[in-house]
Amino acid sequence: LAGTVPEEPRCTVERADASLTYSLFLQRFAFSRPVILGGVTDNSAFRALCTREQLLAAFGPFPVRLSTANTYSYRKVDVPFQEYVEQLLKPQDPARLGSDTLYFFGDNNFTEWGPLFQRYVPPPFRIPGTSPAYSFGIAGSGSGVPFHWHGPGFSEVIFGRKRWFLYPPDKTPHFHPNETTLAWLQHTYPTLPPAQRPLECTLRPGEVLYFPDRWWHATLNLDTSVFISTFLG
């Protein structure tokens, strides 16, 4: 089936639990390497508002801004949220280029979506001198964003499973900016020697990934997924 991707059981990203203190987070991870945080927040109330039925009832007629699923994501398309869910939320076609694939992530109207975001409990850690901004997304299986980088942030899976691939700033991955993550995984990933493979892990609901500033990362949704990121800018 288009978009069907096997889960990789290996996880090469370090994990931490609720015993991680803020000072240890700053010392060990904030400026140096990614970490997966488990049990640091309880977003069960937020998750209950993010089912298909609840979101359609609350936001169906409102427009959402879709981006192309390539590294630069320049093209934007506005459609009603209900149209996105009922017509565009499909598994990724492996043959389709990123520039032809529309992806709902970020670019949300905070006036209309604000009440939903107010129920989200963000991770308890911050980077000094930054302020948080949320990006909310819903995407089909096999979809994702190819390698790119920006400032530091957190990303939490609300529904589904999301596979992450990460490289440090000084190790530029080999990829084509208009190739989807699914195509990269099928064609390039198998050719990589072990030393050139990225850090990677699959996140499940309730798990949060922290990525430091300028780290390359690509994402791949293994299921129809709901997710939210907290960008620290």
Side-chain angles (χ1 to χ4, degrees):
L1 291 174
T4 301
V5 194
E7 180 175 335
E8 167 58 58
R10 281 184 322 126
C11 179
T12 54
V13 180
E14 193 168 342
R15 291 181 178 271
D17 58 23
S19 65
L20 180 69
T21 63
Y22 180 46
S23 59
L24 270 179
F25 169 76
L26 289 176
Q27 177 186 329
R28 295 178 58 189
F29 303 109
F31 307 102
S32 58
R33 61 186 190 271
V35 61
I36 295 171
L37 305 169
V40 296
T41 56
D42 177 6
N43 272 303
S44 52
F46 179 77
R47 187 173 297 114
L49 298 174
C50 291
T51 64
R52 176 189 173 100
E53 294 74 18
Q54 289 280 2
L55 289 175
L56 282 175
F59 305 106
F62 294 137
V64 292
R65 177 155 292 178
L66 310 179
S67 304
T68 47
N70 55 5
T71 292
Y72 303 110
S73 300
Y74 288 139
R75 187 164 70 94
K76 308 290 183 181
V77 177
D78 292 340
V79 300
F81 178 66
Q82 185 165 351
E83 180 182 331
Y84 173 71
V85 171
E86 294 180 349
Q87 298 181 32
L88 300 175
L89 186 58
K90 298 175 181 177
Q92 175 71 46
D93 180 347
R96 187 178 288 268
L97 293 175
S99 57
D100 296 326
T101 303
L102 293 173
Y103 195 74
F104 174 40
F105 179 60
D107 292 311
N108 301 299
N109 184 323
F110 277 77
T111 303
E112 294 163 346
W113 292 76
L116 176 66
F117 298 147
Q118 288 170 12
R119 301 295 297 273
Y120 178 63
V121 180
F125 306 129
R126 288 288 174 269
I127 306 296
T130 68
S131 57
Y134 294 147
S135 283
F136 180 69
I138 304 171
S141 64
S143 66
V145 178
F147 282 105
H148 62 287
W149 59 265
H150 42 66
F154 299 92
S155 186
E156 178 168 352
V157 174
I158 306 301
F159 285 113
R161 295 167 300 156
K162 193 178 190 78
R163 189 169 169 184
W164 283 76
F165 307 92
L166 304 111
Y167 284 101
D170 61 351
K171 198 171 181 180
T172 303
H174 176 69
F175 72 103
H176 188 285
N178 203 25
E179 181 182 50
T180 64
T181 307
L182 182 60
W184 175 86
L185 180 68
Q186 292 173 339
H187 304 138
T188 302
Y189 181 90
T191 70
L192 297 175
Q196 293 181 24
R197 293 206 166 180
L199 292 178
E200 62 177 291
C201 201
T202 297
L203 267 67
R204 289 175 171 75
E207 294 183 319
V208 180
L209 173 78
Y210 169 74
F211 50 86
D213 187 30
R214 294 177 177 264
W215 270 65
W216 290 95
H217 53 281
T219 61
L220 184 69
N221 299 293
L222 302 187
D223 311 297
T224 299
S225 300
V226 178
F227 44 93
I228 186 168
S229 292
T230 306
F231 292 116
L232 304 175

